[in-house]
Amino acid sequence: MSKDRPSPDPRPPEPRPEGYDPGVFAPFAVTVDVVLLTVVERQLKVLLIQRGHPPYAGAWALPGGFVQPDEDLADAAARELLEETGIGQDRSRLLQLGAYGQPDRDPRMRVVTVAYGAVVARLSEVPRGGSDAAHAELVPVADVQSDRLPLAFDHRRIVGDAVARLRAELDTSDVAVGFCPPEFTIRELREVYEAILQTELDSGNFQRKVTQRKGYLTPTERRVTPGERGGRPATLWRAGDAGD
Amino acid sequence: MSKDRPSPDPRPPEPRPEGYDPGVFAPFAVTVDVVLLTVVERQLKVLLIQRGHPPYAGAWALPGGFVQPDEDLADAAARELLEETGIGQDRSRLLQLGAYGQPDRDPRMRVVTVAYGAVVARLSEVPRGGSDAAHAELVPVADVQSDRLPLAFDHRRIVGDAVARLRAELDTSDVAVGFCPPEFTIRELREVYEAILQTELDSGNFQRKVTQRKGYLTPTERRVTPGERGGRPATLWRAGDAGD
DNA sequence: CCAAAAGTGTTCGCAATACACCCATGT
DNA sequence: ACATGGGTGTATTGCGAACACTTTTGG
């Protein structure tokens, strides 16, 4: 990658693996953070943990932590999510959002974090299998974006970027079905869209748009029994072939 | 700001809970790589340098290098690009593409790289003001993707991702005008699209589509004098307000 | 019966496509 | 005059938005 160049590094050179020039390689910490989103009662929520130690002790933050020396980034994200919240997520379902590396983003040392996005079906409560996360909770994304609920580090920005990315990919990818349980009604899927886009969608047009999209949904034989106030029973659908 | 640098012990520290434990994190090297694209004679090309030292000595690679301790990631990308190729690029014109951190992507040590994309107007030759880059050259992207020209590390994949991203953003962003000089004809812009999408576009429809798009282009009073074989002189256009 | 929710049909307008045609220049 | 490339007009088609309407349930 890089070759000999003047050594502008004010720090004493670290002992280093052979082959790299001293004075050029400064050690960084690399972490991963996970933006886990879910829709509960028509509201988009993000999973946060309450920090137990400084800096930002007591503040809310994204689950995440250090990448281990021989660990892939996505694996680290999955592991941290499991350790801190008890939620197991396949690494293939984690979408990389980007790297955040402003020099002062951590007050103590240079940390570059790689953010990952994850999506789960309506999760009402956090499993609490986490090793030692002080506290994990689902909070409305709106509270984060309005800054009514301040986050540690640059995590508010990361959440904002994640939501923007989610909105952009709603129509072109299969993310939305990730917010639904294995079998779901079109209404349920529509409410996911509405929570994310913050708009109302025409139910009839949505129905067509989503059922006609190839490989997106597959119908089951089962129907749902209507609520107390009646109504035609809705078909249950599964994620389509393309989403597997 | 705590300054205790951990010794770069290659062995992993104990798997530990969330939270910072300065002195126990595993040191990573963080680098940036730049995928600089340009269109020359209807061909999409990427700027590569020839490596002078192992690993991959003599192989082609993306320009890039280590991030310095107090340097922002985008700044590092701009600096490395300038140092290795003599091309100055504003950091705001560098688009982050993502982080690549597979444990074995560098044979000697753990390196996480953050890739940035850049776009310049038809660049026929590399400035050669680079400090020490052995050799820098523009090569057809097709040669990289077909693996006819193998690249060091995982750089082929990074280039592939960059091109995919470029294609996806062609219609929704202003990237394409970045491939054109300050004043350009619609034909020139169309050839950029054609080189990137690998298709032929109807010139008439392209004209309308691109001129009607609000804030995308602004006409000048100037025309271009036709070539030797005649033809109606084309209007010169500038990037629109939205692209500033 | 009516209310409510699922799902379909119908219409309209816009935007993309195909392609014919006119415009302004060089030789 | 003719070739060449710039630019506009026009017909067609497909898709999304708006919304009326039918279907199937509970009360």
Side-chain angles (χ1 to χ4, degrees):
Chain A
M1 228 148 274
S2 205
K3 290 136 291 296
D4 26 341
R5 92 176 79 261
S7 154
D9 185 357
R11 305 277 181 306
E14 301 288 337
R16 62 195 150 87
E18 66 166 292
Y20 280 115
D21 291 331
V24 179
F25 161 63
F28 282 60
V30 175
T31 61
V32 287
D33 287 306
V34 179
V35 183
L36 184 134
L37 298 171
T38 192
V39 172
V40 183
E41 285 160 3
R42 307 185 179 192
Q43 241 193 347
L44 183 63
K45 298 202 175 188
V46 59
L47 181 68
L48 298 179
I49 63 157
Q50 198 162 21
R51 290 180 58 82
H53 307 286
Y56 297 102
W60 293 96
L62 295 170
F66 292 99
V67 179
Q68 293 187 0
D70 291 313
E71 188 179 36
D72 200 3
L73 299 175
D75 290 333
R79 176 182 52 75
E80 288 288 349
L81 181 62
L82 182 65
E83 284 181 9
E84 297 193 347
T85 70
I87 297 172
Q89 186 81 343
D90 193 283
R91 56 161 284 169
S92 67
R93 299 222 162 203
L94 289 165
L95 179 70
Q96 192 190 111
L97 301 172
Y100 296 79
Q102 249 192 295
D104 58 352
R105 61 178 295 280
D106 187 309
R108 292 176 309 175
M109 60 172 136
R110 187 67 197 268
V111 179
V112 170
T113 199
V114 181
Y116 281 82
V119 153
V120 293
R122 44 182 153 82
L123 188 73
S124 40
E125 58 185 56
V126 183
R128 285 317 329 265
S131 53
D132 79 332
H135 194 56
E137 212 168 291
L138 288 165
V139 311
V141 165
D143 288 358
V144 173
Q145 292 194 311
S146 69
D147 218 7
R148 239 175 37 112
L149 192 141
L151 300 193
F153 307 106
D154 51 2
H155 287 186
R156 182 186 171 208
R157 187 181 153 207
I158 296 177
V159 171
D161 289 353
V163 173
R165 174 83 169 265
L166 175 63
R167 288 206 178 107
E169 290 202 357
L170 253 201
D171 291 327
T172 52
S173 82
D174 295 343
V175 243
V177 299
F179 286 96
C180 298
E183 295 199 337
F184 52 91
T185 63
I186 302 286
R187 178 192 193 78
E188 207 162 350
L189 184 62
R190 177 162 51 86
E191 284 175 355
V192 166
Y193 275 70
E194 290 175 341
I196 294 168
L197 297 175
Q198 292 282 292
T199 53
E200 297 241 322
L201 299 173
D202 181 281
S203 68
N205 292 333
F206 183 81
Q207 179 104 11
R208 252 181 313 232
K209 177 174 169 174
V210 106
T211 52
Q212 286 174 3
R213 193 166 139 189
K214 233 178 23 179
Y216 192 40
L217 302 180
T218 42
T220 70
E221 294 305 315
R222 312 203 318 128
R223 321 260 128 152
V224 117
T225 58
E228 297 157 356
R229 292 199 308 263
R232 177 170 167 178
T235 307
L236 279 170
W237 300 74
R238 263 195 295 269
D241 316 356
D244 296 341
Chain B
M1 216 151 70
S2 128
K3 276 295 126 89
D4 26 346
R5 244 353 128 183
S7 74
D9 181 355
R11 291 275 41 87
E14 290 308 300
R16 62 185 152 359
E18 181 288 321
Y20 285 84
D21 214 345
V24 202
F25 76 91
F28 283 60
V30 174
T31 61
V32 287
D33 287 306
V34 180
V35 183
L36 184 134
L37 298 171
T38 192
V39 172
V40 183
E41 284 160 4
R42 308 186 181 192
Q43 241 193 345
L44 183 62
K45 298 201 173 187
V46 59
L47 181 67
L48 298 179
I49 63 158
Q50 198 163 21
R51 289 179 58 82
H53 305 287
Y56 298 103
W60 294 96
L62 295 170
F66 292 99
V67 178
Q68 292 184 2
D70 291 314
E71 189 180 36
D72 200 1
L73 299 175
D75 291 332
R79 176 183 52 75
E80 288 288 349
L81 182 62
L82 182 65
E83 285 181 8
E84 296 193 345
T85 70
I87 297 173
Q89 187 81 341
D90 193 283
R91 55 161 285 168
S92 67
R93 301 226 161 200
L94 289 165
L95 179 70
Q96 192 190 111
L97 301 173
Y100 296 79
Q102 249 193 295
D104 58 351
R105 62 177 295 279
D106 187 309
R108 292 169 308 175
M109 62 183 302
R110 187 69 197 268
V111 178
V112 171
T113 198
V114 180
Y116 281 83
V119 153
V120 294
R122 46 182 153 83
L123 188 73
S124 40
E125 58 184 57
V126 183
R128 284 317 326 268
S131 54
D132 73 336
H135 195 57
E137 212 167 289
L138 288 165
V139 311
V141 164
D143 289 356
V144 173
Q145 293 193 312
S146 69
D147 218 7
R148 240 174 37 112
L149 192 140
L151 301 193
F153 307 106
D154 51 2
H155 287 186
R156 182 185 170 209
R157 186 180 154 208
I158 296 177
V159 171
D161 290 353
V163 172
R165 174 83 169 264
L166 175 63
R167 288 207 179 107
E169 290 203 357
L170 252 201
D171 291 327
T172 52
S173 82
D174 295 344
V175 243
V177 299
F179 287 96
C180 298
E183 295 198 337
F184 53 90
T185 63
I186 301 287
R187 178 193 193 78
E188 207 161 350
L189 184 61
R190 177 162 50 85
E191 284 175 355
V192 166
Y193 275 69
E194 290 175 342
I196 294 169
L197 297 175
Q198 292 284 292
T199 53
E200 296 241 322
L201 298 173
D202 181 283
S203 70
N205 292 334
F206 183 81
Q207 179 102 11
R208 251 181 312 234
K209 177 175 171 175
V210 105
T211 52
Q212 285 175 2
R213 192 165 141 190
K214 234 178 22 180
Y216 192 41
L217 302 180
T218 42
T220 70
E221 294 306 313
R222 311 201 320 126
R223 322 259 127 151
V224 117
T225 58
E228 297 156 355
R229 292 200 307 263
R232 177 172 166 178
T235 307
L236 279 170
W237 300 74
R238 263 195 294 268
D241 316 357
D244 296 341

